Amino acid sequence: PTLPDSLAKKRIDSIAAAINAGANFDSLALKFSDDEGSKSKGGVYETSSQQAQGFVPEFRDFILFDGKPGDRKVVKTQFGWHLIEVLSH
C-alpha cells in the first residue's frame, strides 16, 4: 500500500538518518523500497549518463550534475520520495 506523502517523507528521513548513522543502505533498500527496478540490487542503478537523461529531472540532476561520489540526498519526484547516493561518475 502507498503511504500518504507526509508519512512517506517521515519514513525516508528516518531511513536517511539510519544510513547516516551507519545502517546498511542495501538492506534498508531491500526492506523498504517500492522500486522493483533496483530493490533486489540493494537500491543500485548502474546507468550511463546518456541513459540517465531519461530519468525524471529531480533524480537526473542530482546524479549527473549536483551530486558528487559519496553525496546523499532525499528528493521528491512524481514517483515519490527517494534517498539517492552517488556512487561514482
Side-chain angles (χ1 to χ4, degrees):
T2 304
L3 292 175
D5 189 66
S6 61
L7 291 178
K9 175 67 165 104
K10 286 180 184 179
R11 178 176 281 179
I12 197 70
D13 286 343
S14 294
I15 292 168
I19 291 170
N20 288 337
N24 184 278
F25 193 109
D26 299 6
S27 62
L28 291 178
L30 187 60
K31 183 174 182 178
F32 292 107
S33 181
D34 293 332
D35 182 359
E36 296 303 324
S38 70
K39 180 178 186 169
S40 65
K41 297 179 274 184
V44 174
Y45 274 105
E46 294 182 23
T47 186
S48 69
S49 58
Q50 185 174 5
Q51 291 169 318
Q53 293 300 323
F55 289 1
V56 293
E58 303 87 351
F59 203 98
R60 178 195 62 228
D61 290 350
F62 183 67
I63 64 172
L64 291 181
F65 308 116
D66 302 333
K68 295 175 181 62
D71 288 352
R72 289 188 197 117
K73 183 178 181 182
V74 171
V75 298
K76 184 176 183 184
T77 73
Q78 67 194 43
F79 301 106
W81 290 97
H82 310 268
L83 174 60
I84 303 169
E85 179 178 8
V86 177
L87 300 176
S88 67
H89 276 170

